[in-house]
């Protein structure tokens, strides 16, 4: 389970200078593994610069401020919920606010997660897990994020995506759980040019297969790229110089403003 916030307007402020201390040691170790015979010197230089930018971002004053959740008013922290996921989503908003272009929040897998059905991998007792563990903090944090972004004037320029990599079987198994199912599942999009208050597509009555408005994975990726201001057909090249489009799907214009 993940919530993703991507700011499509504005650029992060780069921090000049090289990483120092422990970051320098990690950076040097990382850089030493970049040189490969198949990568040209130009790509090596580019990769090194990108790695340096990443470490600079981590060490910037903006990033340090964003990670200081104790600076957030307690009332706002309460809105997101005092859970690992809720506070992670709050951190995502703080990172977006300081100019980070892409934030990815995963569900927290802590020591109390049961090994038989950890996180959202609900192979046993799914109904109980959804009611008591999974849905309440997710609903609370997601709603708080949208309200918070809107209040700060950031929702229209931030695309928020809540999704997983597949669905669950339409019927419970003998353990009261549901297994992996790729034929149908739901994704929630908000902000960033998406029209609110709508449901697109429908499944059959047991949630097994799509019967209306079928959306392929490539259509979802094309729509996300479009909302972020990138033409889905834009090509990038792999290390061997072969061109690949960012997406081969169709933009879902029906869900956009």
């Amino acid at each position: 389970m993940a919530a993703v916030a991507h700011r499509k307007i504005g650029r992060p402020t780069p921090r000049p200078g090289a990483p120092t201390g422990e970051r320098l040691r990690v950076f040097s170790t990382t850089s030493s593994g970049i040189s490969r015979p198949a990568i040209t010197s130009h790509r090596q230089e580019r990769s090194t610069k990108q790695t340096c930018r990443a470490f600079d971002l981590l060490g910037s004053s903006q990033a340090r401020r964003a990670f200081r959740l104790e600076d957030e008013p307690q009332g706002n922290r309460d809105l997101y919920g005092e859970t690992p996921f809720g506070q992670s989503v709050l951190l995502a908003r703080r990172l977006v606010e300081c100019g980070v272009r892409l934030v990815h929040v995963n569900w927290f897998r802590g020591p109390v997660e049961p090994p038989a059905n950890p996180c959202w991998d609900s192979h046993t007792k799914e109904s109980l897990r959804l009611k008591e563990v999974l849905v309440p903090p997710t609903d609370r944090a997601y709603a708080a994020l949208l309200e918070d972004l809107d209040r700060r004037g950031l929702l229209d320029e931030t695309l928020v995506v809540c999704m997983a990599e597949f669905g669950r079987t339409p019927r419970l198994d003998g353990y009261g759980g549901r297994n992996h199912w790729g034929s149908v599942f739901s994704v929630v999009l908000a902000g960033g040019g998406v029209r609110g208050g709508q449901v697109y597509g429908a499944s059959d009555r047991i949630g097994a297969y799509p019967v209306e408005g079928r959306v392929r994975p490539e259509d979802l990726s094309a729509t996300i790229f479009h909302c972020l201001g990138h033409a889905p057909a834009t090509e990038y090249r792999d290390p061997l110089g072969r061109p690949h489009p960012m997406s081969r799907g169709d933009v879902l214009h029906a869900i956009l403003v």
Side-chain angles (χ1 to χ4, degrees):
M1 186 69 182
V4 180
H6 188 133
R7 191 171 185 179
K8 71 172 184 177
I9 297 178
R11 306 179 69 86
T13 303
R15 173 178 171 265
T20 59
E22 180 64 15
R23 297 199 314 280
L24 179 59
R25 184 189 67 77
V26 176
F27 171 71
S28 299
T29 303
T30 304
S31 297
S32 65
I34 292 176
S35 298
R36 302 176 190 170
I39 303 179
T40 66
S41 60
H42 172 70
R43 291 198 180 95
Q44 290 178 22
E45 181 182 358
R46 184 175 60 184
S47 297
T48 302
K49 288 180 178 178
Q50 289 172 343
T51 303
C52 191
R53 286 184 63 192
F55 278 103
D56 283 346
L57 174 62
L58 290 173
S60 69
S61 58
Q62 287 177 302
R64 287 197 297 270
R65 286 196 302 270
F67 279 95
R68 292 181 56 178
L69 289 180
E70 64 271 18
D71 292 344
E72 190 76 18
Q74 187 59 45
N76 212 35
R77 295 190 69 171
D78 293 339
L79 288 177
Y80 284 83
E82 291 287 348
T83 63
F85 183 74
Q87 296 302 291
S88 296
V89 174
L90 171 58
L91 176 58
R93 189 228 80 207
R94 290 175 63 87
L95 289 170
V96 167
E97 195 171 30
C98 77
V100 176
R101 301 293 297 278
L102 175 65
V103 184
H104 185 182
V105 182
N106 280 324
W107 185 264
F108 176 75
R109 182 168 183 170
V112 299
E113 288 284 344
N117 55 344
C119 304
W120 288 77
D121 200 17
S122 48
H123 288 283
T124 64
K125 302 179 181 178
E126 186 193 47
S127 298
L128 189 63
R129 286 277 295 171
L130 290 172
K131 180 179 180 180
E132 297 185 353
V133 179
L134 301 174
V135 172
T138 302
D139 184 57
R140 181 171 183 170
Y142 189 81
L145 175 63
L146 298 188
E147 292 176 2
D148 208 359
L149 288 172
D150 187 46
R151 183 168 61 249
R152 296 167 188 272
L154 293 172
L155 185 58
D156 288 343
E157 64 183 46
T158 305
L159 178 65
V160 182
V161 182
C162 185
M163 63 177 294
E165 68 269 38
F166 48 70
R168 314 298 296 195
T169 49
R171 291 188 172 88
L172 296 175
D173 59 23
Y175 298 97
R178 298 196 295 165
N179 296 308
H180 302 175
W181 187 259
S183 297
V184 67
F185 63 100
S186 299
V187 175
V188 182
L189 303 178
V194 175
R195 181 162 41 86
Q198 61 178 319
V199 176
Y200 183 86
S203 71
D204 58 19
R205 65 182 185 84
I206 63 171
Y209 298 98
V211 296
E212 179 184 334
R214 176 174 175 263
V215 177
R216 303 169 300 168
E218 56 266 37
D219 298 333
L220 177 61
S221 68
T223 304
I224 290 174
F225 283 127
H226 174 81
C227 289
L228 300 179
H230 303 294
T234 300
E235 290 186 343
Y236 66 94
R237 294 184 178 273
D238 64 21
L240 297 179
R242 297 171 297 188
H244 302 277
M246 291 197 302
S247 175
R248 300 181 186 277
D250 299 320
V251 176
L252 301 173
H253 291 284
I255 72 170
L256 305 179
V257 175

